[in-house]
Amino acid sequence: MDQMRLAFNGVIRSVRYSRFPLQPTENGERHLEVKLSEDGTEEFTDVEAEGSPSFRPAPQNYSRCSIAFLLLGTLLILIVGYLVGYISHSKPKVELLNCSPVTQAPVAQPAEVEMDFKNISQLLARKMTREAFQKTLGDFENPGCSAGSDKDMSLANSIFDEFKKLEMDPWTDIHDVQLPIPDSQNPNKVQFGSEDFSLTGYLAYSATDRVQGKLVYGNYGRKEDLDIVNKNKVELKGCVLLVRAGKISFAEQVANAADRGASAVLIYPDEADYNYVADTVLYGHVHLGSGDPYTPGFPSFNHTQFPPTRSSGLPKIPAQTITRSVAVKLLQKIGGPEPDETSGFKGGFKQVSYRLGGVENITVEVNNKLVNKEIHNVFGVIKGFDDPDRYIVLGAQRDAWGSGYARATVGTSVLVQLAKAFREMVENDGFRPKRSLVFASWSAGEYGSVGATEWLEGYMASIDKKVFTYISLDGVVMGKGGFMASASPLLYSLLETTMKEVNSPVGAGTVYNMAGETMWEANVMRPMTIDDPAYPFLAFSGIPSVSFHFIKPNSEVYTYYGTQLDTMDQLNYETNNQTNEITAIAAQFAGQMALHLVHDHLLSLDVNRYSKTLTKAVAGVYKHIRLLSQDLSPSWLNRARGSFQRAASNLYNDIANTNLDDKEACRILNNRIMMVEHSLLSPYVSPVKVPFRHLLFGRGSHTLASIAETTDVDELHTQLALATWNLQGCANAMVGNIWDLDEEI
C-alpha cells in the first residue's frame, strides 16, 4: 500500500502543464508556454513559433509500474467507497424492520381487518357482567325524573359526560315541547252522587273540560267490548265510560269511546289485571300518536316558527285515571243490566257484579295545563370503518313518572354499558365495525316517545337513508322465565339467530330453547303497538325496528309502569332477585344483534320474511272485497305482491352471484335492502295528518288492514289502487336499476 502511495505521489509531483500548453510548430512561429512549477506558481516562456499553434497536450512520461499502481489504487478506492455506502445505507433498513411491529401494529394486525365474529361475540359477553350492571344501575337510578325537570337535565348531562369520556363525539338535540301537567291549584275531580273525589294521577293530552253523563262500564274499552254494551241496550252517546286498564293503550281506549259518542272516559286498574294496593295512582297519556301533538309532522325546535296546529290524534273528550278504591265505589252503585257470563266483563273485585250502568249521573272535571319544556336528547357515536354513513341506533328513554326503575333506569344502564363495551372493543381489542353505532338517550318518552319522534321529524328527509335499524332498550327486563319481542319482519331472522346465540337466564340452553324452539315465532312475536317506543321508527320513518323483553311466563305487560311501584325492589321481586344477571343477558342480546348488523358484509335484514305478512294482509283484502262487491277485483294488488316476491328472489340471486368481499358491490346490495321498509310508507298521505304511513303497520285508511274493513265502495276503490302502487313501488325500489323493473303488473 505504501509503495502504491509513493508511486502515485511521484506521478502527481512531476512537472505539470496547463490544459492548453502551446507546443512549437513546424513553421517556427513563437507561442506562449505555461508551466505549473513545483511551488504552485506559473512560469511563462516565450517560444518562437514555426507554424500554426497546436493544442495537443504534452505527453507525460509515466512508467508502466506507476500506471499499474494508479489503476489499482483507483479501483481500491471505488471498492472501499461502495462498501462504506452499502453498510451506511443498510443500517436504517434494519432499524425500520425492527421498529415496524411497534409503530404499525395497531393498523397492520389481521384482526383489525377482519375479526372473527365468534371472538367478537365472546368478547362482548365477557364485558356484560352482573358486577358491571350492579354499579351502573345504581349510578342511573333517579326517581322522579320527569321530562324537562332539573333531574332530567342533570341525568342528560351525566350521560353526555360519559360519552365524552369515551371519546364518542357526543352531541345534544334540543327541542321546545308542550307537556301537560296537573294544575295544583285546580285539581282534577270526579263527583258521583254525594261523593267528591279529588284525583292525583292524570292522563297527559286529555281534553280539559267539565262534563256530566250516565256512568257506563265498558270492560277494556275495545271495539268488541263496546259492541256488547250496545247489544245490552245501554246508550253510549253522551255517557261517561268507565273502563279497566289493559289489553290496549289508554289512547286507543279514549279514541274508541269518542267514536261511540262518549263524553268522557275514566280508567282504573282492576284487581284481575293489576296486583296493586287500593290507592295506587296511574299515569299515562292519551295522544293517539307520538311526539309533540302541537307540532305534528315537524320538529318542535321553536314554536314561534309554526302556525297553531294540533295532531289529529289528540282526543276531544276528557280522560282521567282513578284508583282501585274509587272504582269499587263507582261499580257498587252503577246499576243497569248485568253482562253475559261469557262476555269476559267480570273483573277481580268480588264485592261488585260489574253491571253495565247507564242509570246514574257522574261528573268529570279535568283541569290539566300545558307548559313549555326544553328537553334534551343526548347522542354518542362509534363510527364505522367501511360505511360510517350507515348506522344503527340503540336508544332508551331516561324520564319516568314515579320511580321508573324498569321503565328508564334499566334501559339507560344498558345503553351506557353497551357504549362502554363497544368503545373498549374498538380502542383496545382491534374490533373494526363496518358501520356506525349511534347511542341515544331520549327525553319525554312517557308522553308518547316525544323526544325520539321530534328527532325523527327533524331529519325526516334523510334519516331513513342512513339509519337501517333501531333497537329499543326500553323495558328489556320485566321479569324472569319468559321472552317476547315486536319487530319488523325484516328482523325476524336476526332475532332467531340471536336467540340461538345468547344463553338463557333460566337453566341451561339458550333463549331459543327457553322460547320453545320450533314454535318460537308464535311464542315470542307480538304485534308492535302504538305505545311501543320502537313504533315511530317503523311506522313513521320506515326504519326496521325491534323491541324485546325478558318477562315472567304467560305475561304480556309489566303492570307497574306509570306508577310509584316501578322500583328496584319490585323488579327484584319479579326477577327472583336476579335483576343484575338478567340485565346483563338483555344487554348481551341487544349487543349481539348490533354486532351482526355492523359486522357482517351483508345487512342482517331478511326481505323474504315479509312474504308471509304480505300474503296474510292481501288475503284479508281479498276476502273482504269478495263479500262486499262483485264489481271490484283485488287482482292488481295480488300482482303487486307477486312483483314484491319476484324482486326479493332476484335480490337474493344477485347476492348469491356477488363477491361480498367487494365493498362497493356489497354496498349496492345493502342499499337495495335498505329501500324495502321505507318504500312501504305510503307516498299518498300527509305525515302531518297521517303520521304512521306504513302500508302494513301504520294507522289510517291507507293501510291494508283498514282496506280490509272499508265498506264505502268508492273509498275502497281509491285506497285499493293507491295501496297497489305503494306495494309495486316497493318492489321496484328493491330491483335497483330502472331497466330491470318488473313490467308484469
Side-chain angles (χ1 to χ4, degrees), residues 387-391 435-436 465-466 468 667 671 674:
D387 293 319
D389 60 333
R390 300 286 187 269
Y391 40 89
R435 303 165 198 99
S436 299
K465 299 175 182 64
K466 298 181 180 296
F468 61 90
R667 183 178 172 91
N671 286 344
M674 286 178 64

Side-chain angles (χ1 to χ4, degrees), residues 578-612:
Q578 290 186 304
T579 298
N580 296 336
E581 291 86 348
I582 298 176
T583 301
I585 291 174
Q588 185 186 348
F589 195 94
Q592 190 80 355
M593 285 194 292
L595 278 178
H596 279 291
L597 289 163
V598 301
H599 173 270
D600 299 347
H601 288 291
L602 206 65
L603 296 183
S604 301
L605 304 175
D606 190 351
V607 178
N608 283 330
R609 296 304 284 263
Y610 247 119
S611 295
K612 181 180 177 182

Side-chain angles (χ1 to χ4, degrees), residues 22 59 79 82 199 274 278 282 307 318 350 436 462 487 577 595 675 723:
L22 297 180
I79 293 172
Y82 175 81
L199 307 171
Y274 297 87
L282 278 180
K350 293 181 174 57
S436 299
S462 61
N577 291 313
L595 278 178
M675 291 295 294

Side-chain angles (χ1 to χ4, degrees), residues 312-352:
S312 58
L314 278 177
K316 295 180 173 59
I317 62 174
Q320 175 64 41
T321 56
I322 59 175
T323 62
R324 270 177 51 180
S325 59
V326 173
V328 168
K329 292 179 180 179
L330 299 184
L331 287 168
Q332 285 174 335
K333 299 178 181 180
I334 193 171
E338 283 193 46
D340 188 90
E341 288 290 336
T342 61
S343 65
F345 270 51
K346 289 191 180 295
F349 298 142
K350 293 181 174 57
Q351 63 270 48
V352 300

Side-chain angles (χ1 to χ4, degrees), residues 442-500:
W442 312 113
S443 184
E446 292 282 44
Y447 291 84
S449 300
V450 171
T453 303
E454 295 307 311
W455 181 67
L456 292 172
E457 289 174 341
Y459 306 98
M460 186 190 305
S462 61
I463 204 165
D464 62 281
K465 299 175 182 64
K466 298 181 180 296
V467 180
F468 61 90
T469 301
Y470 178 71
I471 300 175
S472 172
L473 303 177
D474 292 323
V476 292
V477 179
M478 298 177 172
K480 178 185 177 182
F483 182 79
M484 67 179 189
S486 301
S488 160
L490 291 176
L491 291 165
Y492 280 17
S493 293
L494 176 61
L495 271 168
E496 182 178 8
T497 299
T498 306
M499 289 169 64
K500 293 176 180 178

